Amino acid sequence: MPFHAFVRRSQVLVFVVGTCAVARAQTYQVDATRIPQGAPSNSSFSEHVAFADVDQDGDFDAAFANGGDCCNQQNRLWVNQGLAQGGSIGFFADATTTRFPNVLDDSRDIEFVDVDNDWDADLFISNTSQVSNQSNRWWINVGGAQGGSTGFYQDQTATRWVNVGVNDGVTTFSSVAPSVALASGGFIDWSCDSSFADLDDDGDLDLVQSTYGLLSAGNTPARIFLNDGSGFFEEFNPSGFQLTGSAMADGAPGLWCEGLQQQDTTDTTGQFCDVNEFSVSIDLGDFDGDLDVDILHGNKYDTPRTYHNRFVERGGVLGFRDVSHAVMPPNWAPGVGSYEQELGDFDDDGDLDLYGVNWADLCDSTFRNDGAGVFSAPTTIPTSCGRDNEVDFVDWDNDGDLDVVLANDTGQERAYQNPGAAGNFVYQPSSGVLPADATSSLGVDACDVDHDGDWDLLVANDFGVGNTFLLNTTQAPDATAPRLARLAQAPDRAPSAAPTIVRVQVYDNAPWYAVESYVVELEYQVDGGAFTAVPMRFAGGQIFRGELPGALVGTIGYRAKAVDRAGNVGSTNVSTYVATAPCSGSLTTYCTAKTSSVGCLPTIGWTGTPSASAGSGFTITCTNVREQKSGILFYGAQPLGATFQGGHLCVKPPTKRTPPQDSVGSAPCNATYAFDFNAFVAGGTDPNLVQGAQLYVQWWMRDPQSPSTTGLSNGLAFVLCP
């Protein structure tokens, strides 16, 4: 289950999701002295645990989702007593009554996520209505933008949900039936897991909320809610469809997914999709390497499904397609009990592979990604057939690759070692890692809570049994640097206020929620100069997003760099793009016009920009000329200023003429000429009129009362832009 972290350039805020318990062994030992014991601090039906530096003092605190299989209970916060607390780092005290809202709810998931982009850890809580009708909740850290004390939380559920149940078909398109919308905020749902990612590439984290539905029927849709940038969420429902209750029938539009809802569809063209699942887990990441974030949707009683984000393919318009039967092997999850799944690059080839918990008749399976988002036939993990509830990738043997720790719902947790061999990748059972255990554990996550360099574990236990802390006794600091892949190629551009957006994939020998907490920066240079760093924000899965200043001009070199918690540094090679100032045509007037016989000075002018490709839009004018008199615009490649016909010839021969025209106007000195030079270029009359050509132009016109019977404007010099 996901976890969210926030990274500031000089500060790392780490959030980890914890889970179920164990007892004593060689690598891990139970250490009950480090965490609160007994009621009410540690005696709940805990389903999930997440870590974050809630008070921004540099150590990891822990929050628990309670209630789950039981009832409405109080979620809890344990604060690490190191650093700002003045105690021993890695020891926890219960701070629930002073820092958390006093709310009893039936929680199955708790997520730290910076919803309002103020760099502190807010909370999203997934609740189920199996005991009483309730919504998922938003608890906001009142530090940062709120101006209060960091690490203290306020329930803002009533305001953070926007237009739930409102669908006017014009500006608001909620799919939630008004009958299930709650006056207190949100809507009645049965949510077990939710996850966040920047789905639409606008710099904030959006919400994907899964559900298993009323009475575990699996006929309630998953939904997507987009962040407005300040932490207020409105549903993304391009179909415009609104349900009449909690269930959605086949034939209805797929809400956020292309096509019509059809249970267990095999279609992958966008005609049909299946968004009704019995989901207890949802995972996000870039599966197909296009640097937008896709969705892997769990399904406990049927085949889990995969949806590709088509933001790139649709030219920056958000949309999803159900591609399950195109990217997964046949019969990829036979049987029931597909509780959970985890994504990670366990073969170190630069893409997200898949570990499915109980995906094969209660046995675990692994699927390798081919780099384009297509997953191989599964490999069943030996000795894994026994109602596992959650998996986490943790490099517990510190050899640089992803190993596995599993929380088991009916008894003993297990650890599997990654042999690190290229090809024929399998997990190998490892003994002497986890202590004996008989509790019902619903999750396990990793975090270096005591800052000694190795991965400790927190376990969330069901049925009122106390949660368990497992201390890693190796104390061997991580020496493996992050791996950065698929840095986006920025296009050449003209400078403007809009930034250049760059995304990159970041991998490491750590759970994705730990990588999320790394300091990741985008470094740039102009014309080979010194590098300047700007922060990159976590964008979901393995993706980070950064913004280069849009006003840069020149050859811009850029690279991404990631620093893990142990100080190991990984970076990409330098990529480049060219930022060229917009072509103005370098328009200037020169030379001297000839005063007409009625005392007026013909003056050349223009509107628009000269272009070799635009086809129109650059009009060369002349004002202050005599009415209803013939005139010609002529041009050449060199300027001049010689005496000519009582005035000055401003263009050196040879010159070329444009078609003659009569001045428009009814009074002396009040008439004008106008000629669209871009349209003339597009006509192809002169093959020398190409991008970059330097031109000089002048108007000649009839003036019958002048001794030469002619008039001349001043000159105009310009360059033809692209």
Side-chain angles (χ1 to χ4, degrees), residues 55-90:
D55 50 3
Q56 295 186 344
D57 68 346
D59 56 27
F60 302 99
D61 312 300
F64 292 88
N66 291 334
D69 288 331
C70 164
C71 48
N72 291 326
Q73 292 186 331
Q74 172 71 53
N75 298 320
R76 307 207 73 84
L77 177 66
W78 295 353
V79 172
N80 197 321
Q81 296 302 289
L83 302 179
Q85 314 309 317
S88 298
I89 194 167

Side-chain angles (χ1 to χ4, degrees), residues 375-388:
F375 292 92
S376 67
T379 298
T380 301
I381 306 303
T383 73
S384 69
C385 307
R387 199 171 183 183
D388 294 324

Side-chain angles (χ1 to χ4, degrees), residues 483-496:
R483 295 175 290 111
L484 286 76
R486 289 185 174 89
L487 178 67
Q489 175 59 55
D492 293 343
R493 58 166 294 177
S496 73

Side-chain angles (χ1 to χ4, degrees), residues 197-464:
D198 183 4
L199 301 174
D200 53 1
D201 197 26
D202 64 351
D204 54 43
L205 293 173
D206 309 303
L207 166 66
V208 183
Q209 179 172 313
S210 68
T211 180
Y212 53 84
L214 176 63
L215 300 177
S216 300
N219 59 4
T220 300
R223 291 181 168 95
I224 291 175
F225 296 85
L226 299 183
N227 191 335
D228 72 346
S230 298
F232 295 87
F233 290 78
E234 186 165 3
E235 186 176 359
F236 172 66
N237 177 21
S239 77
F241 180 74
Q242 187 172 32
L243 281 66
T244 58
S246 62
M248 188 171 78
D250 281 357
L255 305 185
W256 47 270
C257 190
E258 294 176 354
L260 301 178
Q261 167 64 29
Q262 180 175 297
Q263 195 73 28
D264 301 327
T265 181
T266 61
D267 177 71
T268 60
T269 68
Q271 183 178 1
F272 297 101
C273 64
D274 184 5
V275 298
N276 283 348
E277 307 294 331
F278 184 99
S279 179
V280 296
S281 180
I282 195 162
D283 291 86
L284 308 180
D286 175 21
F287 311 147
D288 52 2
D290 62 357
L291 296 173
D292 57 26
V293 180
D294 309 304
I295 299 174
L296 178 61
H297 196 187
N299 192 349
K300 185 175 179 180
Y301 292 136
D302 210 331
T303 49
R305 304 195 74 83
T306 302
Y307 313 90
H308 277 178
N309 189 337
R310 294 174 55 77
F311 185 84
V312 173
E313 293 89 332
R314 297 177 60 176
V317 177
L318 184 62
F320 293 85
R321 178 175 293 180
D322 188 336
V323 295
S324 305
H325 282 262
V327 303
M328 299 302 295
N331 197 30
W332 62 89
V336 298
S338 305
Y339 278 23
E340 206 257 349
Q341 61 278 331
E342 192 73 5
L343 296 164
D345 184 15
F346 53 60
D347 53 4
D348 289 346
D349 64 350
D351 53 42
L352 289 178
D353 308 303
L354 168 62
Y355 190 106
V357 176
N358 299 158
W359 274 32
D361 294 319
L362 294 183
C363 297
D364 298 347
S365 302
T366 57
F367 303 75
R368 296 179 66 177
N369 190 334
D370 70 352
V374 178
F375 292 92
S376 67
T379 298
T380 301
I381 306 303
T383 73
S384 69
C385 307
R387 199 171 183 183
D388 294 324
N389 195 75
E390 185 180 83
V391 60
D392 246 25
F393 289 119
V394 181
D395 184 16
W396 46 260
D397 60 1
N398 201 29
D399 65 351
D401 54 31
L402 293 176
D403 307 306
V404 160
V405 175
L406 287 153
N408 190 279
D409 196 20
T410 57
Q412 177 63 47
E413 274 75 66
R414 292 190 303 279
Y416 290 91
Q417 187 177 44
N418 183 343
N424 300 318
F425 181 86
V426 293
Y427 283 105
Q428 300 294 330
S430 180
S431 59
V433 177
L434 297 174
D437 177 66
T439 60
S440 178
S441 302
L442 299 182
V444 58
D445 277 28
C447 177
D448 181 12
V449 301
D450 52 2
H451 291 193
D452 64 353
D454 54 29
W455 294 102
D456 308 304
L457 302 175
L458 247 180
V459 181
N461 289 324
D462 206 357
F463 302 119

